Amino acid sequence: MSPETLYEGPAHDATFYVPSPGIVRFRFNDLRASGFVRARDGSLFRVQPGARLHVETGQHVLTLYDPKLMARVSITFEPL
């Protein structure tokens, strides 16, 4: 099964919804981009270019460590 695109656009404060438990991948256009993802339950996950995370269903928010960095991100999802 090919990955489903959940979000494409500005990376800072990117909000995306995961429809079921699975693997989420982050592709940034700027290799300097890194940050964290906050899940609805408050858990945090560190993110850097090429990162793959196992996440649960729900809304998540990507926050960059450097909010002035004008990076873009593509977030894709593969169900388990």
Side-chain angles (χ1 to χ4, degrees):
M1 175 182 271
S2 64
E4 171 187 349
T5 300
L6 297 178
Y7 177 88
E8 286 185 324
H12 187 64
D13 288 337
T15 301
F16 59 99
Y17 181 82
V18 177
S20 63
I23 303 297
V24 175
R25 177 170 283 197
F26 299 84
R27 291 187 177 91
F28 294 95
N29 71 331
D30 189 328
L31 294 179
R32 296 174 296 164
S34 64
F36 61 92
V37 170
R38 181 183 307 272
R40 190 169 46 187
D41 67 3
S43 57
L44 298 173
F45 305 95
R46 180 172 162 74
V47 177
Q48 56 195 22
R52 291 175 46 130
L53 299 176
H54 176 269
V55 295
E56 297 297 324
T57 303
Q59 183 172 311
H60 298 74
V61 178
L62 169 62
T63 302
L64 295 183
Y65 290 128
D66 180 359
K68 295 179 183 176
L69 185 64
M70 300 302 291
R72 295 183 63 80
V73 67
S74 173
I75 303 171
T76 56
F77 169 74
E78 297 175 38
L80 294 179

